[in-house]
Amino acid sequence: MFPEFTLRYARLPEHFFERFDPVSVPAPRLVAFNRPLAEALCFDLDAFDEARAAEWFSGNVLPEGAEPVAQAYAGHQFGHFNPRLGDGRAVLLGEVTDREGQLRDIQLKGAGMTPFSRGADGRSPLGPVLREYLVSEAMHRLGVPTTRALAAVTTGERLFRRVPEPGAVLTRVASSHLRVGTFQYFAARDDVEAVRILADLAIERHYPHLRGPELQGLEEGESYLALLEAVAGRQAALVAKWMGLGFIHGVMNTDNCAISGETIDYGPCAFMEAYSPTTVFSSIDDQGRYAYRNQPWLAQWNLARLAETLLPLIDADQERAVERATAVLEAFVPRYEAEWLAVFRAKLGLAQEEEGDRELAEALLAAMEAGGADFTLAFRRLSEAVEEAEGGEEDALALLALFENEGALREWLPRWRERLAREGADAAEIAARMNAVNPLYIPRNHQVERMIAAAAEQDDFGPFEALREVLAEPFTEQPGRETYAEPAPSTEKVFRTFCGT
């Protein structure tokens, strides 16, 4: 059933990983399988057998051609550097080539105690597996670069974290699992050659244009500086998309910053409901380091750590290398701001660019904060208020109902409509393009928690399947499923999320 594996990472020098076979589990059961993704990865679905798939996706049986390894990496965790982290509960089976000709990693998470486990059991509870499966696939449907979920398997074990939970294994697919922390691992050991190997691998897999004819003849180190710039560009675009969805990653450590520009590691992630830029969910983020408003700054901080590892490759003259890398890091701010503005222009229905658009977007956010409005629904219902109804604000009633204090919004609406009038498009066209970028359905935290509780406590995966089905079409109104678009009732508001490691 599995496509042919390549072993690009497993053929690197052996100090890049530890060879490790998944630890077998007593009673694997397949509880989720992503058939469209499997098809895109060239799996032979005609040969699909659920019981056999459970053995593969639990790690009990290795697919033919796989050579599992636990990858080495370091990382800054909440600002503190740990020189040796690595895959403590994950193994890379290998890479496969998808239908578009791109290499994709296939990794098992929760596969048992590896040499990097640092005393942990190497397992994953069911809750975090289902959360990552559902949220990562929702992010894909929302148009956000992300790792994907191929399968989820329960193991027949009970694990003890905050409460006893069933054990599970997630099969994750990624463009690669190269992280800023992977580079830091070797830089911390002054292994410049290993950093060079990683940089070349990153260019080969994610930025092949950096070795194209247009760069031939340039001075040594130019492609590595270009790599830093390319990663910065993707991170700017990625975080702007997060901000446009009210998504809070929750643990933006350097080991969770992917060189590919994909969202990786959905631990204590959550979606903001009532708009507040200081919103934090992660139970371990006591200082609010990874609050919603801090995510752009943290992305730049993580990129600075990547730049430090690349300095010897950028230029033999350290002072000149620092100068050149600093210029790239400083350019991140305007690049991110341009990406952010592009995201919010689209959310406001603006296809053209005018100087006051940033202030217009920020004024709406200020009104939402003052009114305690739900971030997702406020933008979605804004499309109903494109035109002021004759004699009043009837078309904006659903929007106004979201605001506890609607004064600032009422002052803002005429300014927005005046700006829309210069777009040269009719109301129906503007509303349609707004609804194409402003989702109606997101993985709301209380619904995710309900789904996890049903699966973990009652072995009921019906809520998981129902939520997965809704989130597969986040921009399309689905009659009869109105409750999936609603914010949490007061009795179910989620204030803290947990990693589950």
Side-chain angles (χ1 to χ4, degrees):
M1 185 182 86
F2 270 79
E4 183 179 355
F5 280 101
T6 63
L7 300 168
R8 183 70 180 85
Y9 203 89
R11 293 294 178 261
L12 295 178
E14 293 213 348
H15 59 296
F16 281 74
F17 54 80
E18 295 279 355
R19 298 195 181 276
F20 170 77
D21 286 340
V23 179
S24 62
V25 302
R29 176 167 61 109
L30 187 69
V31 295
F33 181 60
N34 191 337
R35 292 185 72 92
L37 178 57
E39 184 176 354
L41 295 172
C42 303
F43 276 69
D44 179 8
L45 295 182
D46 291 337
F48 178 79
D49 175 82
E50 186 169 316
R52 189 64 169 166
E55 295 288 341
W56 278 323
F57 293 128
S58 66
N60 275 12
V61 176
L62 288 179
E64 184 178 353
E67 290 189 17
V69 299
Q71 293 174 293
Y73 54 83
H76 274 89
Q77 299 181 306
F78 292 87
H80 303 286
F81 185 61
N82 187 327
R84 191 178 189 272
L85 295 172
D87 287 329
R89 56 173 178 158
V91 293
L92 175 67
L93 296 179
E95 307 90 9
V96 300
T97 303
D98 67 16
R99 292 193 182 278
E100 296 180 355
Q102 301 297 312
L103 280 182
R104 308 287 295 279
D105 283 6
I106 297 185
Q107 182 196 68
L108 302 181
K109 289 186 66 178
M113 187 183 299
T114 80
F116 296 109
S117 290
R118 304 183 302 281
D121 61 13
R123 293 305 193 187
S124 178
L126 178 61
V129 164
L130 294 183
R131 178 188 295 274
E132 179 158 352
Y133 191 114
L134 188 140
V135 178
S136 64
E137 286 304 299
M139 292 284 271
H140 172 69
R141 296 286 187 164
L142 290 164
V144 180
T146 179
T147 60
R148 303 283 305 277
L150 178 60
V153 173
T154 54
T155 64
E157 300 169 311
R158 300 290 290 183
L159 304 179
F160 294 86
R161 300 296 189 264
R162 291 180 297 123
V163 295
E165 286 189 70
V169 178
L170 175 77
T171 303
R172 181 164 71 185
V173 176
S175 295
S176 84
H177 286 84
L178 297 179
R179 315 154 187 262
V180 170
T182 319
F183 286 77
Q184 289 182 293
Y185 180 87
F186 297 102
R189 290 156 176 77
D190 295 321
D191 192 341
V192 176
E193 184 55 30
V195 174
R196 186 187 304 276
I197 290 171
L198 281 177
D200 289 343
L201 180 62
I203 290 170
E204 174 191 327
R205 290 193 64 167
H206 305 303
Y207 308 96
H209 63 283
L210 299 184
R211 288 286 165 83
E214 66 275 16
L215 288 181
Q216 297 301 314
L218 295 180
E219 60 184 280
E220 185 179 1
E222 195 72 27
S223 61
Y224 300 118
L225 183 67
L227 171 62
L228 176 62
E229 187 172 13
V231 175
R234 288 196 186 175
Q235 288 294 322
L238 176 66
V239 175
K241 288 180 182 292
W242 291 357
M243 302 296 278
L245 293 169
F247 175 77
I248 301 169
H249 185 279
V251 61
M252 288 179 66
N253 297 327
T254 56
D255 55 298
N256 294 332
C257 181
I259 299 300
S260 64
E262 292 178 325
T263 312
I264 188 170
D265 284 338
Y266 292 88
C269 69
F271 285 79
M272 179 170 55
E273 292 196 326
Y275 177 73
S276 172
T278 60
T279 302
V280 176
F281 286 100
S282 172
S283 63
I284 55 176
D285 191 2
D286 294 331
Q287 305 301 315
R289 177 180 175 86
Y290 299 138
Y292 172 79
R293 69 179 179 187
N294 290 343
Q295 292 182 131
W297 173 76
L298 260 301
Q300 185 188 36
W301 193 90
N302 288 343
L303 289 165
R305 308 289 76 77
L306 175 62
E308 290 167 351
T309 72
L310 295 174
L311 290 178
L313 306 183
I314 291 172
D315 202 298
D317 182 331
Q318 185 176 27
E319 185 175 337
R320 188 159 181 259
V322 169
E323 181 181 342
R324 300 177 79 192
T326 299
V328 172
L329 296 171
E330 290 176 346
F332 175 84
V333 175
R335 189 162 191 171
Y336 165 76
E337 289 178 349
E339 295 283 359
W340 183 94
L341 187 53
V343 167
F344 279 84
R345 273 198 180 104
K347 292 177 76 66
L348 294 177
L350 307 177
Q352 302 173 23
E353 298 180 8
E354 290 190 8
E355 189 174 338
D357 291 346
R358 171 175 291 278
E359 191 278 331
L360 185 70
E362 290 174 342
L364 174 59
L365 294 174
M368 289 168 59
E369 184 177 12
D374 182 83
F375 182 87
T376 300
L377 283 185
F379 276 105
R380 180 70 180 198
R381 292 181 180 174
L382 194 61
S383 65
E384 301 169 8
V386 172
E387 287 187 309
E388 182 176 1
E390 187 174 339
E393 288 282 8
E394 287 83 355
D395 286 350
L397 287 179
L399 172 64
L400 291 164
L402 298 173
F403 288 71
E404 297 172 3
N405 176 354
E406 61 190 48
L409 177 66
R410 286 187 178 275
E411 291 181 7
W412 181 85
L413 283 170
R415 296 171 51 200
W416 173 59
R417 292 184 179 123
E418 181 183 350
R419 170 67 180 84
L420 288 179
R422 298 194 291 275
E423 284 288 302
D426 62 33
E429 179 184 341
I430 291 173
R433 68 193 188 201
M434 291 175 67
N435 286 339
V437 297
N438 290 318
L440 181 57
Y441 307 102
I442 58 168
R444 291 188 177 271
N445 309 321
H446 68 293
Q447 294 165 352
V448 173
E449 292 298 329
R450 281 182 195 169
M451 171 273 293
I452 290 173
E457 297 170 14
Q458 303 168 32
D459 197 35
D460 179 5
F461 290 85
F464 169 79
E465 292 297 340
L467 189 52
R468 181 164 68 153
E469 186 175 331
V470 170
L471 295 173
E473 299 290 341
F475 301 101
T476 304
E477 188 170 348
Q478 302 174 40
R481 292 170 165 171
E482 290 79 9
T483 57
Y484 288 97
E486 296 173 358
S490 59
T491 55
E492 290 189 76
K493 287 186 181 296
V494 175
F495 298 101
R496 287 288 178 266
T497 52
F498 300 86
C499 264
T501 53

